[in-house]
């Protein structure tokens, strides 16, 4: 167990933005909520996965909705409390700790804000090791943890307890409810015992986010190349460097879908990179070749600072370096690729690991 | 208390179709379910409102969804049981009886089918005295009974428990969930104690439906004019007689919206009647005058047999007599008109009681 204070939050927010692979909602919102909650209630206890008991009730929490809406419509904080209280009533058991469902964007920080407010500890883990757009795209689901009972609560005081036959139905129904609730809602989901967490989670996600943030910060202070430092930390690949010349984006069915067109600079001069996203970056390609696909992580970083761009943050003229990072091994199994691989999202291509696609480009 | 067997069901189904004012779903589906359940489990106990205790838990149940979907996608029966069991768990109390939420269409018969299956009695009452398209359009809502906790369950095994800040939010969220559940779902809603039922319900709805069915059946047997017999029973008005020459209908947002155009015959020759509906018939007018508006009941009956047409049943060439029936007094209050009057549905006209509009046309 260690304490997370304001300084750690700053680094975590940067790491969350990077692992968010363009989606997950701008972590700035979550950061502000976490900082304010820590200011009021003191630092948050971060638990190592091995510190939780096998029969402890652990409940991840997250905001659901299009990132473009999340950043406009701030959670009040009460909806998370309401979601937790409702779920405790349904399960007739006290929640011992919370954790992020995804390592990326606003949803990495929200559990910290909730934890500071309630005094609950946060487990240093998540269910994606990145951000993904749908509720069933978590390692808990890959390991047959039930998505429901889940609670969805909005800032107005409406809430629902959902019980579904599988995670995809939870996604469909909760998504529809979220849309009429105003485009975003808080959920408490995948209630698990400690043993299930240990078997299915991705370990040390918050610590990794903190390390990413620290690496970028220290590289800047030491005038080292921050992108190289990040690639070293994450075992990633530099896919493309260029300048955004076109960006299409629309909020549709609770998702932000679109594409950024990047004209190459330096060694990529003359080439064009197309970055397609559905909340998160899902595929990066040039006219001739695929550079990286989901479930591997595709991140567009500021070429100068290595700070990550969200898909909402990409602008005409942004100078960006696109990097690819191998996903957790759980995502590279047959089941993982079925759930979150390129074909699930409608791309007519098989998943090929980023290290195979980019071996020749080098780290 | 009296028993409802198969013969009563036949009459109730006809009355339900008539009070359904074109909507509520074709009662044929509910009738088949009720007949089958009674065949298997025996007759249903129908309770007089005054027979229930003030602290009995009474829970109405109904199908939600567009009538066009309801008749295509039959409930399995299990979803109603699941809805009741979930609600009992939430409220930690046994349900003593069920009742229809509306007196009209499939939703008059479904509680009888559920009651036969479970052995629960049915209260001889409802919350509309007719059919209406939205969940908050019930006398329970007019009397400040909470719409939630409500349960929505589909035939696949998905369910949700909803808690909302008011009835309109329950309608919005449940409607969105129903759409993704496949267009129809069962709900258990407005849980009430016996005292609340007595204060807010519309009394003797099932008996009235049975009387309507019997009146039409006996008029036919006795070669009397069935429409005149119905107008006498219900204090209604003959608004228009003619032949359907055009019908527009589309399923949209969980509702069936449209209009029937009726060319006059007999004393209405040369006139045209326009019947506009959103699941239910909401306004009947000619080129010059309004004949009847919601919340008063507008029913299109077969001119020969007096059997009611649903909005899905109206066809080019149908010979129909449109009648208007005064709504229950609860709907003619300021609050009632706000909730279900013509302006709520987007018509730019005040509510004028059908007896004032048609005094000159006579009964």
């Amino acid at each position: 167990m260690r304490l997370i204070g304001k300084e750690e939050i700053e680094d975590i927010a940067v790491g969350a933005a990077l692992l968010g692979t363009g989606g997950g909602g701008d972590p700035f919102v979550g950061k502000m909520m976490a900082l304010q909650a820590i200011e009021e209630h003191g630092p948050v206890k971060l638990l190592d996965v091995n510190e939780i008991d096998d029969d402890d009730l652990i409940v991840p929490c997250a905001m659901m909705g299009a990132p473009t809406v999340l950043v406009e419509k701030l959670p009040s904080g009460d909806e998370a409390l309401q979601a937790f209280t409702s779920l405790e009533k349904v399960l007739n058991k006290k929640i011992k700790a919370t954790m992020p469902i995804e390592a990326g964007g606003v949803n990495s920080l929200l559990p910290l804000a909730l934890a500071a407010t309630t005094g609950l500890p946060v487990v240093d883990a998540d269910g994606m090791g990145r951000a993904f757009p749908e509720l069933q795209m978590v390692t808990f689901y890959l390991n047959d943890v039930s998505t429901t009972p889940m609670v969805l609560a909005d800032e107005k005081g409406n809430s629902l307890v959902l019980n579904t036959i599988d995670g995809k139905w939870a996604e469909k129904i909760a998504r529809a409810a979220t849309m009429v609730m105003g485009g975003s809602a808080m959920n408490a989901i995948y209630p698990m015992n400690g043993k299930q967490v240990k078997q299915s989670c991705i370990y040390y996600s918050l610590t990794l986010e903190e390390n990413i943030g620290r690496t970028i910060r220290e590289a800047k202070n030491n005038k080292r190349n921050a992108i190289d430092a990040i690639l070293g930390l994450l075992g990633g690949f530099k896919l493309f460097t260029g300048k955004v010349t076109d960006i299409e984006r629309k909020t549709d069915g609770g998702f932000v879908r679109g594409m950024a067109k990047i004209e190459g600079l330096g060694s990529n001069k003359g080439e064009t990179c197309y970055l397609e996203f559905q909340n998160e970056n899902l595929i990066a390609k040039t006219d001739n070749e695929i550079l990286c696909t989901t479930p591997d992580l595709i991140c567009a970083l500021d070429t100068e600072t290595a700070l990550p761009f969200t898909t909402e943050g990409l602008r005409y003229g942004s100078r960006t370096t696109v990097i690819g990072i191998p996903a957790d091994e759980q995502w590279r199994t047959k089941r993982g690729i079925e759930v979150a691989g390129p074909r699930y999202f409608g791309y007519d291509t098989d998943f090929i690991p980023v290290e195979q696609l980019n071996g020749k480009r080098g780290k």
Side-chain angles (χ1 to χ4, degrees), chain A:
Chain A
M1 197 275 285
R2 62 188 180 97
L3 292 178
I4 299 291
K6 290 185 184 179
E7 192 179 336
E8 289 85 357
I9 294 291
E10 295 285 350
D11 282 340
I12 290 173
V14 172
L18 190 142
L19 296 182
T21 66
D26 191 331
F28 181 77
V29 172
K31 183 175 94 172
M32 287 298 127
M33 288 180 69
L35 288 175
Q36 193 189 327
I38 290 173
E39 173 79 34
E40 274 179 45
H41 305 278
V44 173
K45 294 191 196 85
L46 186 69
L47 294 181
D48 190 289
V49 176
N50 297 310
E51 287 178 288
I52 55 180
D53 285 341
D54 278 358
D55 60 353
D56 282 351
L57 174 60
I58 313 292
V59 178
C61 64
M63 289 298 289
M64 182 161 199
T68 41
V69 177
L70 295 190
V71 298
E72 297 288 334
K73 180 164 161 282
L74 291 185
S76 77
D78 293 342
E79 58 270 47
L81 280 175
Q82 198 193 338
F84 269 43
T85 311
S86 299
L87 201 54
E88 284 184 334
K89 203 177 152 197
V90 169
L91 297 168
N92 198 23
K93 194 169 177 182
K94 277 275 162 200
I95 295 171
K96 280 287 178 67
T98 187
M99 60 187 282
I101 189 172
E102 58 186 336
V106 63
N107 279 334
S108 292
L109 283 300
L110 274 180
L112 294 163
L114 175 68
T117 309
T118 56
L120 283 178
V122 174
V123 184
D124 188 4
D126 83 301
M128 300 185 191
R130 49 165 296 162
F132 271 130
E134 297 183 7
L135 294 182
Q136 78 281 7
M137 296 175 174
V138 288
T139 53
F140 316 134
Y141 181 79
L142 300 182
N143 287 278
D144 297 323
V145 175
S146 174
T147 313
T148 62
M150 69 171 277
V151 178
L152 198 66
D154 72 17
E155 78 293 351
K156 293 173 282 292
N158 300 307
S159 71
L160 55 92
V161 181
L162 201 52
N163 275 288
T164 59
I165 49 175
D166 66 23
K168 288 190 185 179
W169 276 105
E171 163 64 30
K172 278 176 79 162
I173 298 171
R175 184 78 50 189
T178 296
M179 304 257 305
V180 294
M181 281 166 150
S184 73
M186 192 80 197
N187 61 51
I189 188 167
Y190 289 100
M192 276 174 281
N193 63 36
K195 193 174 177 188
Q196 288 174 303
V197 174
K198 290 171 194 173
Q199 289 170 342
S200 65
C201 78
I202 291 180
Y203 283 63
Y204 303 116
S205 312
L206 287 159
T207 294
L208 178 61
E209 288 168 350
E210 192 185 343
N211 287 340
I212 293 169
R214 190 192 312 113
T215 300
I216 293 176
R217 179 165 50 82
E218 290 181 351
K220 187 186 166 197
N221 292 343
N222 303 330
K223 310 227 184 297
R224 284 210 314 269
N225 184 303
I227 290 178
D228 289 343
I230 284 297
L231 293 176
L233 177 70
L234 298 171
F237 297 83
K238 194 180 285 186
L239 305 179
F240 198 86
T241 298
K243 194 177 74 169
V244 175
T245 56
D246 198 8
I247 177 115
E248 291 164 30
R249 196 164 34 216
K250 62 175 179 174
T251 301
D252 165 32
F255 298 109
V256 176
R257 297 173 212 267
M259 191 185 68
K261 194 172 159 189
I262 305 164
E263 296 296 340
L265 292 173
S267 63
N268 292 114
K269 200 163 174 73
E271 291 184 287
T272 305
C273 172
Y274 307 90
L275 194 62
E276 296 185 26
F277 49 85
Q278 174 179 323
N279 288 9
E280 282 72 39
N281 300 319
L282 295 177
I283 190 163
K285 59 187 179 184
T286 64
D287 288 306
N288 308 316
E289 58 184 337
I290 290 171
L291 302 176
C292 189
T293 76
T294 177
D296 283 344
L297 289 69
I298 303 165
C299 312
L301 307 183
D302 185 307
T303 301
E304 291 271 308
T305 62
L307 291 172
F309 286 111
T310 59
T311 54
E312 311 94 82
L314 278 177
R315 296 272 181 277
Y316 176 86
S318 299
R319 277 161 200 263
T320 184
T321 295
V322 181
I323 68 168
I325 304 163
D328 186 275
E329 282 308 317
Q330 293 207 49
W331 290 118
R332 292 172 151 212
T333 59
K334 183 159 176 287
R335 179 107 202 261
I337 293 165
E338 268 169 24
V339 169
R343 293 199 186 275
Y344 179 86
F345 290 102
Y347 299 107
D348 187 23
T349 177
D350 286 327
F351 170 70
I352 302 172
V354 64
E355 60 273 24
Q356 285 180 37
L357 287 171
N358 294 276
K360 59 182 188 298
R361 292 182 176 248
K363 280 198 187 186

